[in-house]
Amino acid sequence: MDRLSNTVRPYAWGSVTAIPELLGTAPTGEPQAEMWMGAHPGAPSRLTRPAAADTASSGTGEQSLTDVIAADPERELGTAAVRAFGPRLPFLLKLLAAGAPLSLQVHPDLAQAQRGFADEERRGVPADAPHRTYKDANHKPELICALTHFEGLCGFRRPAEAAGLIAALGVDSLKPYVDLLRARPEDGALREVLTAILTADPDEMAHTVAEAAEAAERLGGAHAPYAQIAHHYPGDPGVIAAMLLNHVELQPGEAMFLGAGVPHAYLGGLGVEIMANSDNVLRCGLTPKHVDVPELLRIVRFEATEPGILRPEAAPSGEELYETPVDEFRLSRYVLPPGGTSVDLTAATPQIFLCTAGAPQAGEMALAPGESVFVPAGETVEVAGTGTLFRATVVV
């Protein structure tokens, strides 16, 4: 078992205070958006292990989890996980702290990612090109579990509901969208309106967004989130696109699963996020980055859905499991009560444990909020003490 040292990413939308408060550290004055736990090449966790016996060095040294896994995948991940996902950790665990809305985005399914990546490779699109859409050949399902009150957008509203929300703004230039939402079949209406929003004249759309933001501010209530979004992204067509989506509020312990083709955005709050280890994001607004409208329209699922809120399901040994339809990750939670007995969590798969409250122990290691450990496949681990632990692993 290895204690992890993790990188905090300072994205502009991050909260200045949420992650420092959890860690018990002083804010730096700059946004702290995400703390990454895993073996993503962009910011792999680090750990300290004794030097290998066949090296000239002695003592211990800090290594990246990526290098540790690459040196002996079957030992670290287990034979079944390597067979299922290859010689890599297939998930990335994060603390995510949104102080402002993230971009409105959608992720491809596995077949779309493989096709899109192969096509851009064939065409020689540079990996770091700003217009590059597919960074890898993997899908990116996600799960966010709230640690505080958490707001987001997830999936399309019923067109009639979206029409009512937009019509109430009283903005003349939005009336054609309202008419489309009320006149077409659901999937056709959503596709036609999103296409019109993303391909509108930028100057005209900026004026429309300004009028809509002013009206949303005046109306408040259900319109208040969109006034706040417009405050951070003035003139962005994503402000109008966001009104097509379900507004979701999570309480601590509740979660939201984001599958392929489902448009979504996080608006604010602190949570634990887990995802398949991929960088494939297609943006559809609330961003200065490239928006690939033709590809976006190919992968978005134009269907109205109820905003699905997940609550943990009780499992043996006090585990509370967040059920999802993917195998690359499995997230569960242990709320360890005072005076409770230790729980054996040894598994044949790789595991990361993250403490979010209290002072539990994983093996011999005492954990404070924000601290995490990596447990190689098959290594014995018992958890005890008092507090909350999130457990990330895979399904094989």
Side-chain angles (χ1 to χ4, degrees):
M1 183 185 312
D2 305 277
R3 190 182 298 273
L4 296 178
S5 175
N6 305 305
T7 298
V8 175
R9 311 304 294 264
Y11 304 134
W13 49 261
S15 167
V16 174
T17 58
I19 289 179
E21 285 178 358
L22 182 71
L23 300 179
T25 59
T28 64
E30 296 184 349
Q32 298 188 39
E34 297 180 345
M35 187 174 78
W36 288 17
M37 291 155 279
H40 190 287
S45 297
R46 300 170 301 284
L47 50 86
T48 301
R49 282 192 181 177
D54 58 353
T55 65
S57 61
S58 61
T60 59
E62 188 174 66
Q63 307 170 63
S64 75
L65 183 55
T66 304
D67 290 342
V68 167
I69 291 171
D72 196 342
E74 293 210 358
R75 175 189 172 192
E76 305 298 334
L77 306 176
T79 301
V82 172
R83 186 182 302 121
F85 309 111
R88 62 187 184 87
L89 189 68
F91 65 81
L92 177 63
L93 184 67
K94 299 179 180 180
L95 278 173
L96 183 146
L102 281 68
S103 63
L104 192 60
Q105 57 188 252
V106 69
H107 305 303
D109 65 25
L110 187 56
Q112 291 165 337
Q114 291 171 340
R115 174 195 56 76
F117 180 75
D119 175 64
E120 291 190 318
E121 289 288 281
R122 178 185 56 79
R123 292 189 286 114
V125 181
D128 59 352
H131 62 283
R132 175 92 188 210
T133 298
Y134 292 95
K135 308 296 185 182
D136 52 66
N138 199 16
H139 62 164
K140 193 186 177 186
E142 299 175 349
L143 175 76
I144 184 77
C145 178
L147 294 179
T148 66
H149 177 263
F150 195 97
E151 289 189 65
L153 305 171
C154 180
F156 286 109
R157 302 173 184 266
R158 296 289 179 191
E161 182 184 347
L165 186 74
I166 295 171
L169 296 171
V171 176
D172 287 344
S173 54
L174 291 176
K175 288 181 179 178
Y177 302 153
V178 173
D179 293 340
L180 287 171
L181 289 168
R182 287 174 171 164
R184 298 284 194 279
E186 284 195 351
D187 57 345
L190 294 168
R191 176 182 290 275
E192 204 164 337
V193 171
L194 183 62
T195 302
I197 291 169
L198 297 180
T199 57
D201 177 87
D203 292 335
E204 292 179 3
M205 178 54 68
H207 180 72
T208 294
V209 171
E211 284 190 289
E214 183 179 340
E217 180 75 30
R218 182 178 66 254
L219 291 169
H223 292 86
Y226 309 100
Q228 185 66 13
I229 292 170
H231 172 76
H232 292 283
Y233 298 98
D236 193 301
V239 174
I240 308 302
M243 296 184 189
L244 301 176
L245 307 186
N246 296 300
H247 177 245
V248 181
E249 295 187 75
L250 303 178
Q251 300 307 315
E254 295 180 334
M256 181 167 60
F257 175 71
L258 304 161
V262 177
H264 61 275
Y266 301 150
L267 303 182
L270 176 67
V272 174
E273 185 183 45
I274 191 167
M275 62 183 61
N277 214 344
S278 171
D279 290 324
N280 284 326
V281 176
L282 282 89
R283 296 172 177 85
C284 35
L286 310 183
T287 179
K289 295 182 179 180
H290 177 62
V291 176
D292 185 347
V293 175
E295 187 65 14
L296 177 72
L297 296 176
R298 275 192 285 270
I299 72 168
V300 169
R301 294 185 178 178
F302 288 99
E303 55 187 23
T305 59
E306 293 297 321
I309 295 178
L310 295 178
R311 295 175 178 85
E313 299 182 12
S317 303
E319 183 179 37
E320 298 177 323
L321 175 64
Y322 294 92
E323 290 276 9
T324 68
V326 299
D327 295 335
E328 283 89 345
F329 60 77
R330 178 184 188 275
L331 185 71
S332 59
R333 183 181 69 167
Y334 289 84
V335 180
L336 305 170
T341 59
S342 63
V343 182
D344 185 351
L345 298 182
T346 305
T349 52
Q351 304 183 82
I352 292 178
F353 290 91
L354 166 67
C355 172
T356 59
Q361 282 198 210
E364 299 299 317
M365 294 187 183
L367 300 178
E371 293 186 331
S372 57
V373 294
F374 172 72
V375 183
E379 183 172 310
T380 300
V381 57
E382 291 189 351
V383 300
T386 303
T388 301
L389 280 175
F390 280 85
R391 178 194 199 188
T393 185
V394 300
V395 179
V396 292

